[in-house]
Amino acid sequence: MFAKILIANRGEIACRVIRTARKLGVRTVAVYSDADARALHVEMADEAVHIGPSPVGESYLRGDRIIAAALATGAEAVHPGYGFLSENPDFVDQVTAAGLVFIGPSATSIRAMGLKDAAKRLMEKAGVPVVPGYHGEAQEIVLLASKAREIGYPVLIKARAGGGGKGMRRVDHPDDFSEALSGARREAKAAFGDDRVLVEKYVDKPRHIEVQVFGDNFGNAVHLFERDCSAQRRHQKVIEEAPAPGMTPALRKAMTEAAVKAAKAISYSGAGTIEFIVDASEGLKADRFWFMEMNTRLQVEHPVTEMVTGVDLVEWQLRVASGEKLPKTQGEIALAGHAFEARIYAEDAAKGFLPATGTLHHLKFPDASPEDAAIRIETGVRAGDAISPFYDPMIAKLVVHAKDRTTGLGALRKALARTEVAGSTVNTAFLAALATDADFAAGDVDTGLIGRHQEALIALPAPSDEATAAAALAATDAGAPGPAADPWSSLAGYAHFHTLARRTRLRFGEENILARVSARPDGRYQVALEAPHDAINSHDLRNLPRTARWPGHVTVFEGAVGHTFAVPDPLAKADEAAAASGSLRAPMPGLVKLVRAAAGDAVIKGQPLLILEAMKMEHTIAAPHDGVIAEIAAEGAQVSDGTVLVRFVEDGQA
């Protein structure tokens, strides 16, 4: 076993690797950028080395700096985590050339599976079924459009070097092919440095089912059963589970055998995942699945496999990379129970799942598992940490394991309802809605489920009057323990003839709320909400409901929904100009990738004006109303959240 390893990653995966390394007595070296100087993975590691500025191209993608850090600290091996350089064969070559061990597959294996088109040709030769489509080298638009017609619409354009939904477009009609191809190529070029694509048949009711495989350097390869990752939005996974609901013995046998065959075809060593697309239009059948791609690394959703098999996949990675054989044979790996993983992101589901930023002023996960299930939290952040625009906005992975799917899903719902995040917009309410969706609960899931039910899944209930009353009470610091309580404004002080009362103002969205909070002699608080509410009398708020007070705000938690109220500063002057309707502002920090209009152009509502690239994804910014453009951001401009992208000519101006 290694004495010391360097982890060439950040966030929750770096923390995950550190925990297993500690268990095995292996010392760890973390690397970090400017933005991550105080990150949790840096604090947890035995040593940490600064490798550059915040942008990934100047830090976490700088293989030379990572290798230099490993050599300088005496690390023997490099664990890549996932993302960044984890599937870069040139980096693997550089690591081994430096006399270090890469904890993962060989560069040859990564190259064999790294390009989707070449991988599919290889799988065809190995006898693994592949999705009908065009996987050739020629990339002329006329040829690709012709192939799409031959395959038959709808088709899927996919970046051949891609993953995570980047560089991927569904096309339903020939007239839309050119525009979709351009968008896929731009996104692929930005994310992977390769704008080549392949075109495949889009399966009408596709299930995304993948098989965890593991190989060693002695020719052994096993599978650790399947995961279902069909609950996706924008081709990115949301909730994963193991085993796949409705899985039949015949299909499991066929898929796992094909997965092991695929791994052995490239002499694979380490953890890997074979992803299949399954046509579920007539149920799960052994002859209706096809190879999509292989991820030659540890997957984000690997904890669900660990929960149902009892295997520590990171431990296996370290053991195999250090020269040991696989710890178990195929017959020794058993499947037990059911596990779910929900990805908690800083994102706004109601705004097309736009990534969000902000400081996690309040962060609380379930602190105990229910009697009938086990809960596991994988995170790389703490309360007080900031969600950076430079990296993936994942906050945590919430994992539950129970004896069966029904029990596990109930535990997931309860755990989401006990998760509290304040300071950034998060997707916990969306996840809870998905976990209670009738089709999802029944196991009738496919990759289009979220899209079909999206309107209902992203709808947020209005805060109850009790939640609003709790926000008003929290805004007064009434009943707050310790130094948070202001003795001069406390409602619990002495009053001789009448009950002490305090008025406070709140804002929820566009609604202004005026409340009067009074302390009662029996320890309860009475909150009266003025227009547009009716007065609420004698709300029993002796024990403050779940709330979080943070600068200028109060968040009240009702189940998995966090209602955030602004608490206006009475001394602050509102900047009315900033709210003028004549401007269109950036919804997040990013790069103006493409501009489709110019000053003086007359545009109509919904017309695409520019494309903003943020967090490795493209977001189309459209006109909010008809108008004439006065100014528009320059192509290539780096903008911050709230920057004016487009200014419209005001009425009466020339």
Side-chain angles (χ1 to χ4, degrees):
M1 181 54 66
F2 305 112
K4 182 188 289 187
I5 64 171
L6 179 142
I7 304 165
N9 219 294
R10 63 176 302 279
E12 59 89 14
I13 184 55
C15 296
R16 164 73 187 89
V17 174
I18 290 170
R19 286 199 301 275
T20 289
R22 281 180 178 174
K23 181 180 70 174
L24 299 176
V26 177
R27 292 179 61 81
T28 55
V29 180
V31 293
Y32 65 93
S33 68
D34 289 347
D36 281 340
R38 298 181 180 178
L40 181 58
H41 75 280
V42 174
E43 178 183 295
M44 289 179 62
D46 296 297
E47 301 173 60
V49 179
H50 178 252
I51 54 171
S54 302
V56 294
E58 301 175 50
S59 51
Y60 294 107
L61 292 180
R62 287 294 300 269
D64 56 338
R65 294 181 182 174
I66 291 170
I67 292 171
L71 295 173
T73 56
E76 302 162 76
V78 175
H79 193 300
Y82 47 72
F84 296 141
L85 295 169
S86 62
E87 295 181 280
N88 186 317
D90 294 335
F91 177 63
V92 179
D93 285 337
Q94 292 162 9
V95 169
T96 55
L100 302 167
V101 175
F102 181 77
I103 302 174
S106 67
T108 300
S109 293
I110 294 176
R111 287 191 175 97
M113 289 297 194
L115 299 177
K116 290 183 174 66
D117 51 356
K120 289 181 178 179
R121 291 194 294 269
L122 178 62
M123 290 298 99
E124 284 180 315
K125 291 181 181 178
V128 178
V130 300
V131 180
Y134 173 71
H135 310 129
E137 291 291 335
Q139 294 289 299
E140 293 81 6
I141 184 173
V142 174
L143 173 67
L144 294 176
S146 173
K147 292 295 182 182
R149 288 181 181 274
E150 290 178 15
I151 296 165
Y153 285 90
V155 298
L156 199 62
I157 300 173
K158 299 170 67 175
R160 75 167 196 165
K166 300 176 182 68
M168 187 181 294
R169 298 288 191 279
R170 172 181 171 169
V171 191
D172 294 301
H173 193 275
D175 292 347
D176 302 323
F177 187 84
S178 177
E179 180 74 11
L181 176 63
S182 297
R185 281 176 164 168
R186 282 194 309 272
E187 203 166 88
K189 184 69 174 179
F192 315 111
D194 185 344
D195 66 356
R196 287 171 288 182
V197 301
L198 50 84
V199 183
E200 293 180 344
K201 176 65 179 175
Y202 185 85
V203 180
D204 287 331
K205 191 175 182 181
R207 288 271 295 273
H208 179 140
I209 302 177
E210 58 191 32
V211 176
Q212 176 73 58
V213 294
F214 218 109
D216 62 20
N217 295 311
F218 300 90
N220 302 306
V222 297
H223 71 80
L224 291 95
F225 301 99
E226 81 281 354
R227 297 184 290 258
D228 194 301
C229 306
S230 301
Q232 301 178 6
R233 50 92 180 147
R234 296 174 64 177
H235 305 294
Q236 292 186 313
K237 300 166 186 175
V238 176
I239 294 180
E240 302 98 340
E241 60 182 300
M247 175 59 70
T248 65
L251 179 57
R252 176 174 289 143
K253 183 176 186 293
M255 290 184 70
T256 54
E257 287 180 353
V260 172
K261 185 185 298 184
K264 288 186 173 181
I266 57 172
S267 302
Y268 194 78
S269 176
T273 297
I274 310 296
E275 298 191 348
F276 296 101
I277 193 78
V278 181
D279 183 353
S281 59
E282 299 177 6
L284 298 182
K285 297 185 177 181
D287 61 348
R288 303 295 293 274
F289 75 96
W290 302 279
F291 172 86
M292 283 199 302
E293 62 181 322
M294 181 178 189
N295 286 300
T296 52
R297 54 170 168 80
L298 196 67
Q299 290 280 89
V300 178
E301 60 273 21
H302 75 273
V304 295
T305 293
E306 293 183 324
M307 298 296 267
V308 296
T309 61
V311 169
D312 184 332
L313 292 174
V314 175
E315 179 179 339
W316 278 32
Q317 284 186 301
L318 296 178
R319 292 193 180 282
V320 166
S322 66
E324 297 181 23
K325 290 185 177 181
L326 288 176
K328 291 185 177 183
T329 64
Q330 188 67 70
E332 295 173 320
I333 303 170
L335 183 66
H338 203 100
F340 288 92
E341 175 182 287
R343 302 189 187 191
I344 300 174
Y345 274 93
E347 65 181 10
D348 192 337
K351 294 183 178 179
F353 300 98
L354 284 178
T357 55
T359 298
L360 301 173
H361 291 283
H362 177 84
L363 183 63
K364 183 180 180 182
F365 299 111
D367 53 9
S369 298
E371 293 182 1
D372 55 356
I375 294 178
R376 171 176 167 180
I377 303 296
E378 296 286 346
T379 186
V381 296
R382 303 148 295 188
D385 286 350
I387 301 298
S388 167
F390 295 103
Y391 313 119
D392 185 272
M394 181 186 287
I395 294 173
K397 300 184 304 193
L398 174 60
V399 188
V400 299
H401 179 236
K403 63 180 180 179
D404 53 43
R405 189 175 191 271
T406 299
T407 307
L409 191 55
L412 178 64
R413 295 167 184 153
K414 293 175 184 177
L416 285 167
R418 301 204 312 269
T419 298
E420 301 174 7
V421 185
S424 177
T425 303
V426 293
N427 68 338
T428 50
F430 164 72
L431 293 171
L434 178 58
T436 56
D437 177 85
D439 287 346
F440 186 82
D444 184 15
V445 60
D446 60 79
T447 59
L449 183 146
I450 290 177
R452 293 193 301 272
H453 299 185
Q454 183 163 319
E455 185 175 348
L457 294 174
I458 66 175
L460 289 176
S464 66
D465 282 348
E466 185 173 14
T468 304
L473 181 59
T476 67
D477 286 326
D486 176 2
W488 302 107
S489 61
S490 174
L491 292 174
Y494 174 77
H496 189 64
F497 293 112
H498 56 81
T499 301
L500 284 173
R502 181 176 173 184
R503 301 184 79 186
T504 186
R505 293 182 182 275
L506 301 172
R507 187 174 180 84
F508 185 80
E510 299 300 316
E511 182 182 355
N512 291 303
I513 302 164
L514 183 61
R516 187 174 67 254
V517 183
S518 304
R520 297 170 63 93
D522 61 2
R524 290 185 299 155
Y525 294 94
Q526 181 180 22
V527 181
L529 303 177
E530 300 184 4
H533 294 268
D534 295 327
I536 299 177
N537 296 313
S538 301
H539 258 280
D540 188 359
L541 298 178
R542 182 192 304 274
N543 297 314
L544 194 66
R546 294 191 302 152
T547 60
R549 178 75 188 270
W550 47 287
H553 300 81
V554 171
T555 299
V556 182
F557 301 100
E558 289 192 299
V561 182
H563 301 294
T564 295
F565 297 79
V567 183
D569 181 349
L571 300 179
K573 294 183 178 179
D575 183 3
E576 298 295 338
S581 62
S583 298
L584 182 59
R585 297 176 180 272
M588 72 192 84
L591 174 72
V592 179
K593 191 73 173 181
L594 185 67
V595 176
R596 294 182 168 180
D601 287 357
V603 297
I604 60 174
K605 181 178 180 180
Q607 179 178 333
L609 302 182
L610 51 83
I611 292 176
L612 186 68
E613 181 184 273
M615 297 183 181
K616 303 179 184 178
M617 298 289 284
E618 288 189 355
H619 307 274
T620 299
I621 306 298
H625 51 70
D626 296 352
V628 177
I629 295 176
E631 295 178 85
I632 191 166
E635 201 165 288
Q638 190 77 41
V639 297
S640 59
D641 186 10
T643 298
V644 174
L645 297 175
V646 182
R647 187 171 63 81
F648 295 95
V649 174
E650 296 181 10
D651 292 342
Q653 293 185 342

